[in-house]
Amino acid sequence: MHTADILVIGGGIAGLSAAAALSEHARVAVLEAEEQVGYHSSGRSATMVHYALGDRLVRALTLASRPFFGSPPEGFSDAPVGRRMPVLVHAREDERAALDALEAEITAFAEIERLDASDVHELCPLLKDDAVHGLADRNGTRLDPHALLQGNLRRLREHGGTLHAGQRATQLERANGTWNVTTDKGERFSAPLIVNAAGSWADRVAQLAGVQPMGLRPLRRTIITFDAPPGTDLERLPFTKTVGDALYFAPESGRLFASPMDEVPSEPTDAQPDEYEVALAAYRMEERTIVKVERVHSRWAGLRTFTPDRHPAVGFAPDADGFFWLAGQGGFGLQTSPAMAAIAASLIGDTPWPFADVPREALLPDRFAGQPAEVDPALGD
Ligand SMILES: Cc1cc2nc3c(=O)[nH]c(=O)nc-3n(C[C@H](O)[C@H](O)[C@H](O)COP(=O)(O)OP(=O)(O)OC[C@H]3O[C@@H](n4cnc5c(N)ncnc54)[C@H](O)[C@@H]3O)c2cc1C
């Protein structure tokens, strides 16, 4: 039997960043079902930090996370966890109103430049001529998820915390103020507090514990990689996104990657790309840019898991002692992970709320007590 003060279920970015923060004051053990950390969503993302994602709350969490990426805490190696990559959001004439609205929303969070057609094409020469308006955040950050995951893991271990990989929690029982967890390998763990950071499986873990699920919705998203046209200066290309949720692309290991920003409902699973979305990515790339996708070099898919209101959930379950939710990070889980981890540590440690600009009530899981809210499709990202 392994004992700890806190047992974190899930070794993605949510679980590891919270575990690292919590390990400063508690004995923390992380259970990860797969043999390697970050195997699911955290290892399959587009890895950007940007403000054209989510809504005001997500932007506030992102802003609160930025200092961490610029100077990670002690325990991380000296290697940076991200590098500068400009972000360009572009629009056709008929999309101008949407760009205006986005500009009004995000200027509070970043230094945003309004671009005309010639500026747009200077920043991203691959766009077709109909991209005539743009917003640029020249200080966007492309994260290195490996550095982020390993840095958090190193910090956890330096504080005496442990990772137990290849251990899927399959039974959770509460007795005498302690959670007893049994894994698929038959190993047993116990702790008074469980942090449910199981990503797409977080509702399943809640059900195992007899806790009311939250109504999480895993949505599949697809990415393809392919060659850029000869002569493309990949070093200078921005992360480039349509103002609506149609397409984004960016340089990726000497090629380009693109996503049609699909949101296909899925079970929690090892997500695989579907031919339709692969073809859609190539189609939209050719529709909006001068690039010909002659051959898809590689493809992958991952799940972005949302709560019913598309805001993440962090806090104690209202219906079970010692059960703490850290779920619903949707399409912004990397870029908000430092703030979410700090919030988890403050709620568990009962210390003052760390971010004045992030509204506490909007994040607590008890907002779903009783009946889950309806999904608001207008809050897309
Ligand atoms: C295509 C795509 C693009 C994205 N782009 C961005 C982006 O640009 N910026 C950004 O910030 N975010 C982005 N995201 C979102 C981001 O990847 C997720 O929000 C984040 O990775 C979620 O982290 P997580 O730790 O909650 O989930 P995961 O990484 O999935 O981790 C959950 C872990 O829990 C484990 N687990 C589940 N059940 C159990 C159990 N019973 N016992 C033990 N372990 C268990 C799983 O094996 C898994 O490893 C993107 C996602 C996708 C798919």
Side-chain angles (χ1 to χ4, degrees):
M1 166 83 83
H2 307 265
T3 59
D5 298 325
I6 302 173
L7 200 52
V8 176
I9 299 183
I13 193 58
L16 287 179
S17 56
L22 289 163
S23 67
E24 290 190 22
H25 304 291
R27 284 180 310 138
V28 180
V30 178
L31 294 188
E32 168 49 51
E34 305 292 348
E35 294 297 334
Q36 77 210 58
V37 298
Y39 175 80
H40 290 288
S41 304
S42 301
R44 307 180 188 202
S45 98
T47 72
M48 277 307 293
V49 178
H50 69 101
Y51 294 96
L53 192 62
D55 64 358
R56 184 168 287 268
L57 176 67
V58 172
R59 291 181 187 115
L61 286 166
T62 305
L63 188 63
S65 298
R66 281 208 81 124
F68 183 103
F69 299 131
S71 85
E74 163 248 337
F76 275 64
S77 74
D78 292 337
V81 296
R83 67 187 170 89
R84 204 183 132 271
M85 181 179 282
V87 176
L88 168 63
V89 182
H90 60 94
R92 296 183 299 229
E93 192 55 48
D94 63 313
E95 297 167 323
R96 184 183 188 149
L99 198 74
D100 292 344
L102 181 66
E103 182 179 14
E105 263 284 317
I106 63 177
T107 39
F109 297 92
E111 213 174 292
I112 300 294
E113 245 176 85
R114 181 79 188 210
L115 306 185
D116 63 16
S118 75
D119 297 333
V120 166
H121 291 276
E122 193 188 331
L123 189 53
C124 184
L126 299 181
L127 287 171
K128 277 195 177 156
D129 288 347
D130 60 358
V132 287
H133 302 287
L135 299 176
D137 172 1
R138 305 219 182 240
N139 295 311
T141 302
R142 183 90 187 268
L143 294 171
D144 175 342
H146 181 74
L148 211 49
L149 289 162
Q150 292 303 322
N152 279 303
L153 186 52
R154 200 172 304 120
R155 201 170 154 220
L156 169 72
R157 285 177 166 148
E158 275 178 10
H159 293 137
T162 51
L163 167 72
H164 303 266
Q167 299 280 350
R168 178 181 300 278
T170 50
Q171 268 181 44
L172 288 85
E173 281 159 3
R174 180 102 176 149
N176 305 322
T178 301
W179 285 104
N180 296 307
V181 176
T182 309
T183 70
D184 54 351
K185 302 266 165 59
E187 290 203 30
R188 298 182 63 205
F189 296 79
S190 76
L193 177 61
I194 279 182
V195 174
N196 178 10
S200 305
W201 288 265
D203 265 352
R204 297 272 172 93
V205 166
Q207 279 168 317
L208 287 175
V211 171
Q212 173 75 32
M214 199 167 271
L216 294 171
R217 294 211 317 153
L219 301 177
R220 192 179 68 223
R221 178 157 288 181
T222 309
I223 291 187
I224 62 171
T225 70
F226 47 90
D227 286 334
T232 305
D233 186 353
L234 289 170
E235 287 297 307
R236 289 196 54 224
L237 270 192
F239 174 85
T240 306
K241 178 187 174 306
T242 52
V243 65
D245 286 350
L247 174 76
Y248 61 65
F249 64 93
E252 167 80 11
S253 311
R255 294 192 166 87
L256 293 172
F257 82 64
S259 172
M261 303 189 70
D262 43 324
E263 290 201 329
V264 182
S266 168
E267 290 294 302
T269 187
D270 186 353
Q272 298 301 321
D274 186 89
E275 279 312 315
Y276 174 77
E277 281 80 30
V278 168
L280 188 63
Y283 172 82
R284 291 208 176 140
M285 194 65 202
E286 295 192 354
E287 184 186 36
R288 304 297 289 243
T289 75
I290 57 170
V291 178
K292 290 272 162 274
V293 182
E294 309 280 4
R295 190 173 79 85
V296 173
H297 174 74
S298 64
R299 61 193 75 192
W300 69 88
L303 299 178
R304 299 154 62 257
T305 297
F306 292 90
T307 67
D309 65 7
R310 288 202 170 222
H311 289 160
V314 51
F316 287 97
D319 57 334
D321 285 341
F323 191 94
F324 189 92
W325 284 94
L326 184 57
Q329 290 85 346
F332 42 80
L334 291 180
Q335 71 183 42
T336 57
S337 59
M340 289 289 285
I343 290 169
S346 97
L347 289 170
I348 289 171
D350 200 18
T351 59
W353 185 253
F355 305 112
D357 294 334
V358 177
R360 189 172 188 270
E361 303 309 317
L363 291 169
L364 297 180
D366 55 14
R367 68 190 192 274
F368 299 121
Q371 218 178 352
E374 281 301 304
V375 176
D376 181 352
L379 291 176
D381 63 357

